[in-house]
Amino acid sequence: MIRQENVTSRDLELLNVALDHALTPQEQVEFDQRLCDCPYLTALYRQQRRLKSTMGQLPSCKVPHNFTLTRAEARKAKRGGFLQPVFGWASAISALLVAVIFGSQLIFNNVSLTAPMSEDSAQTTMLREGPPTEAVPEEGAGIKTMASEPVYLLNWNSGYYGIGGKGGGSEVYDTGGVSINIYIDPNALSTGETAAMEGVGAGEIIEPAPTEVMAIPEAEILPETIPTVVPEATTVPTPSTRVHQAPKIYGIDPEKVGTVLKETPNLSLAQLEQPAAEQSQADEAVKSKPVVPIQVSIGLLAAALIFGLIWLYLKVKS
Amino acid sequence: MLMEESLLIEKAVEGDLDAFNQLILTYQDLAFNVAYRIMADEAAAADATQDAVISMYRKLDSYRGGSFKAWFLRIVTNACYDELRRQKRRPSIPLEPETDEGDPIESPEWVADKSPGLEETMMNAQLEKAIQDCLNKLNDKHRVVMIMVDVSGEDYETVAEVIQSPVGTVKSRLSRARLKMQECLQSRGELLPHQFRLNNEEKDD
C-alpha cells in the first residue's frame, strides 16, 4: 500500500512541472532525489504521467462545419454590435438624468426648509401668546415683551426716527397690552433743536400721518406702566451757543393712551393677516414647484426603462 | 507563419473579412475541440464556437495585440461559460433511449460500430466517456486549464493569457485539477479497461 506521507506541496509542484517537461536542470536533480526517497511520489508520478498521456490521446473532434462568416453574417454582427451599446448608453444616460433631477430637487427642498425667514416678510408682527411680562427696553429690538392678547402692531414707519436711535422703523415698547409708537421729527433733531421730553402727557401729540386706530379693550390698558417707555437717552443735549427756540415736544396724549396707531389705511384685521398668509402660500408654492417639470422626469424615466429593456433584449439575443 | 498571421490580423482589424476568415480557419479546430471538452456536447460546442467567432468579429477593434490564438480561446471559453450558465438556468432532457425500468441506455447497442476491432473501439469509448465525466465534475476554472494543457497541449503562458491570470495560478489550478481527475478515475477504476487503470503499476513504463 502506497502512503502519501512525506509528500509536500513542493513535491507536487515539481511533479506537475515534470509532467509538462518544464523542469530546470536544478529542479530535475531535486525531483529525482525526491522520487528516490518517496515511493508514494514515484507512484503518483507514474499515475499522473499515464493520465496525461491518456488525455493527450483523446481523439479530437472534427469540426461540423467551418465557422467563417459570410458577408451578410458579418454585416449583421456589426449592426448588432453597434445597436446594443447605443441603447445601453442611452439607458444609462437617461437613468443618470433622472437621478440628477430627483437628487437636485431633494437637495433644494431640504435647503429651502432649513433657510431662515427673510426679514422683509416680517413687516407685520403678531403678538399672540405668552403671559404679560415686564417691559424690558432693549436697543435695536423691535418687540420687547409679549402681550397676553393678540395685538397687531403696525409700526413700519420708514423715514421716521424711533426712540433709541435712527432706524427704518420706530421703536415699539409693549406695556402689557398697549403698544405705542412715538415719533420724533427728524428735522427738528437735525437742526439741533432741543427735544426734551419731560414725561408722558407733558407735550403735544403730533401724529405724522393720518392713521386709523384700533381700539384695545380698556381692561387691558395699563397706563401706569407708560412712563417707563420714555428713556432719558432720547434727550438731545443743547449746545450753549445756539439760540434757544421753543422746542417741539412730542409725547403721548393721555386721552389717546390705549390706542394703537396704524399707518396702513383701509385694511381690516383680516386683510392684515392676508399678506402673511399669501407670502406663506407663495413660499410653499416655490418650495413645491419642481426645478424640472414632472413630465420631463417621467419621460426620462420611461426612456431609461425602454432603452434598458431593448439593450437587455439585444444582449440576450446576441 | 507569424509574419503571415500578423499581416492577416492587421487586415482583419481594418475590416477585411477574408483575412478574418483565414484566421478563423487556422484556429477553428483547436477552438472547437476546447469547446467540445468544456461543453461535452458537439452541438453546444459548435454553437459556442460560432458565437465566439461573431463576438470576435465585433470586438476586432478592441484587439490590442498579443497572441491571437489566446484571444480566440479566451472568447471561446467565455462563450462556453455563457452557454453552461444558460443550460443551468434551462436544463434540457437528453433524448436517450431508456430501459424498461426507465433508466437511460448510455451506450445503446444500435449506435455501436459493428466493424472489426469492436472491442478496442468500445474500450476507447468507455475510457473517453470516463475521462469526460470526470472532466465535467471539475469546476470550470480547473477544467479549462486541464483541457488546454493536458488535452490541447498548450503551454502555460498561452493558458495564462487565456484565463488572464499569472502562470503560477495556471500551475496551481493544474495541480489540483490533475489530483481530482486522478481520484475521480480511480474511483471508477472497475469501469475502465484494464490497461487504462491508473493504479495498475504493472502496465507502467
Side-chain angles (χ1 to χ4, degrees):
Chain A
M1 181 67 184
I2 300 170
R3 295 178 183 276
Q4 59 180 4
E5 297 161 0
N6 303 324
V7 175
T8 63
S9 57
R10 172 68 178 164
D11 292 336
L12 292 176
E13 183 187 338
L14 290 174
L15 184 145
N16 276 284
V17 180
L19 286 172
D20 299 317
H21 309 289
L23 285 174
T24 63
Q26 191 178 357
E27 286 174 338
Q28 186 68 56
V29 172
E30 183 185 353
F31 185 62
D32 289 342
Q33 184 63 41
R34 287 296 298 150
L35 286 178
C36 294
D37 295 342
C38 182
Y40 175 78
L41 186 63
T42 307
L44 189 63
Y45 178 54
R46 285 178 180 169
Q47 289 169 356
Q48 292 272 317
R49 277 178 60 187
R50 173 174 286 273
L51 172 65
K52 183 176 168 64
S53 170
T54 305
M55 291 193 69
Q57 290 171 6
L58 284 175
S60 61
C61 291
K62 194 174 185 302
V63 291
H65 57 83
N66 283 336
F67 295 103
T68 53
L69 297 179
T70 62
R71 300 274 171 204
E73 287 171 338
R75 274 197 299 275
K76 190 179 173 185
K78 282 287 183 188
R79 193 169 59 243
F82 170 74
L83 285 177
Q84 189 185 332
V86 164
F87 280 108
W89 279 108
S91 172
I93 290 169
S94 304
L96 187 67
L97 284 175
V98 170
V100 167
I101 287 168
F102 280 110
S104 62
Q105 283 180 2
L106 191 67
I107 291 168
F108 288 146
N109 284 342
N110 285 340
V111 168
S112 62
L113 283 174
T114 56
M117 189 171 63
S118 169
E119 290 184 0
D120 293 339
S121 64
Q123 294 193 8
T124 301
T125 309
M126 298 175 68
L127 302 177
R128 288 190 179 276
E129 296 179 357
T133 56
E134 293 182 1
V136 183
E138 189 177 330
E139 191 87 16
I143 298 168
K144 304 306 176 192
T145 59
M146 303 290 285
S148 58
E149 291 296 326
V151 176
Y152 294 88
L153 305 178
L154 302 173
N155 57 352
W156 195 260
N157 295 302
S158 221
Y160 287 95
Y161 288 83
I163 292 175
K166 290 181 179 180
S170 62
E171 193 72 8
V172 178
Y173 291 92
D174 189 334
T175 57
V178 179
S179 297
I180 303 164
N181 284 358
I182 301 173
Y183 300 99
I184 296 176
D185 187 351
N187 294 325
L189 288 176
S190 62
T191 55
E193 293 176 349
T194 302
M197 299 180 73
E198 297 178 355
V200 175
E204 177 186 355
I205 292 275
I206 297 175
E207 295 187 26
T211 57
E212 187 177 314
V213 295
M214 286 193 302
I216 300 292
E218 286 290 329
E220 296 177 12
I221 301 173
L222 299 172
E224 62 274 14
T225 62
I226 292 173
T228 62
V229 306
V230 183
E232 292 180 6
T234 58
T235 302
V236 179
T238 305
S240 58
T241 57
R242 292 190 177 181
V243 178
H244 184 77
Q245 295 178 356
K248 292 180 181 178
I249 301 172
Y250 305 99
I252 299 171
D253 184 356
E255 291 179 3
K256 290 193 176 180
V257 168
T259 63
V260 175
L261 300 177
K262 188 180 72 172
E263 286 204 351
T264 307
N266 305 324
L267 283 178
S268 65
L269 192 61
Q271 286 175 313
L272 292 172
E273 287 182 348
Q274 201 170 358
E278 286 175 355
Q279 182 67 31
S280 174
Q281 286 175 357
D283 290 345
E284 287 298 320
V286 169
K287 285 174 192 172
S288 60
K289 186 180 178 184
V291 179
V292 177
I294 191 70
Q295 290 88 345
V296 175
S297 302
I298 292 172
L300 281 171
L301 191 62
L305 285 173
I306 291 168
F307 291 151
L309 286 174
I310 293 172
W311 172 81
L312 194 65
Y313 171 75
L314 288 174
K315 185 175 174 61
V316 170
K317 191 181 172 187
S318 66
Chain B
M1 174 66 183
L2 282 176
M3 279 295 289
E4 188 185 351
E5 183 179 304
S6 60
L7 192 65
L8 286 173
I9 292 169
E10 195 177 325
K11 285 183 177 177
V13 171
E14 288 171 0
D16 188 341
L17 183 61
D18 293 333
F20 176 77
N21 282 336
Q22 193 62 41
L23 287 166
I24 296 301
L25 287 173
T26 306
Y27 294 113
Q28 67 177 3
D29 285 331
L30 171 66
F32 174 73
N33 275 283
V34 168
Y36 174 68
R37 291 297 166 197
I38 293 174
M39 305 291 298
D41 181 76
E42 192 174 324
D47 288 346
T49 309
Q50 189 67 66
D51 288 347
V53 170
I54 293 171
S55 181
M56 276 178 70
Y57 189 70
R58 280 182 190 156
K59 295 177 182 174
L60 267 176
D61 295 338
S62 64
Y63 176 69
R64 295 285 178 267
S67 169
F68 187 83
K69 180 170 73 173
W71 187 53
F72 191 6
L73 287 175
R74 182 163 75 242
I75 294 176
V76 167
T77 52
N78 286 338
C80 290
Y81 288 152
D82 291 343
E83 182 62 28
L84 285 173
R85 277 194 288 268
R86 250 196 304 270
Q87 285 181 2
K88 280 179 186 172
R89 283 199 300 269
R90 291 174 295 199
S92 57
I93 301 168
L95 295 172
E96 288 178 348
E98 294 179 345
T99 62
D100 294 339
E101 289 78 25
D103 298 327
I105 301 172
E106 293 181 348
S107 300
E109 208 172 308
W110 47 269
V111 173
D113 188 0
K114 304 292 183 184
S115 62
L118 173 64
E119 190 180 355
E120 186 181 352
T121 305
M122 290 288 283
M123 280 195 296
N124 286 339
Q126 277 184 326
L127 177 65
E128 185 182 344
K129 186 176 185 317
I131 290 174
Q132 188 63 55
D133 287 347
C134 289
L135 274 174
N136 293 345
K137 286 180 181 174
L138 298 177
N139 68 40
D140 292 344
K141 291 174 178 176
H142 290 167
R143 191 188 327 165
V144 166
V145 170
M146 186 146 197
I147 287 168
M148 279 193 278
V149 174
D150 283 352
V151 180
S152 300
E154 300 299 329
D155 55 36
Y156 292 157
E157 285 74 20
T158 302
V159 179
E161 204 172 335
V162 170
I163 66 171
Q164 293 182 300
S165 298
V167 172
T169 305
V170 174
K171 288 180 181 175
S172 63
R173 285 183 188 174
L174 186 61
S175 175
R176 287 192 214 107
R178 280 170 173 165
L179 287 175
K180 285 181 183 176
M181 193 74 184
Q182 184 187 343
E183 286 172 13
C184 175
L185 287 171
Q186 279 179 338
S187 69
R188 51 192 302 160
E190 297 303 318
L191 300 175
L192 289 176
H194 177 74
Q195 62 268 37
F196 293 110
R197 290 176 192 167
L198 296 175
N199 53 0
N200 184 6
E201 294 189 47
E202 289 84 37
K203 290 289 176 186
D204 284 336
D205 51 355

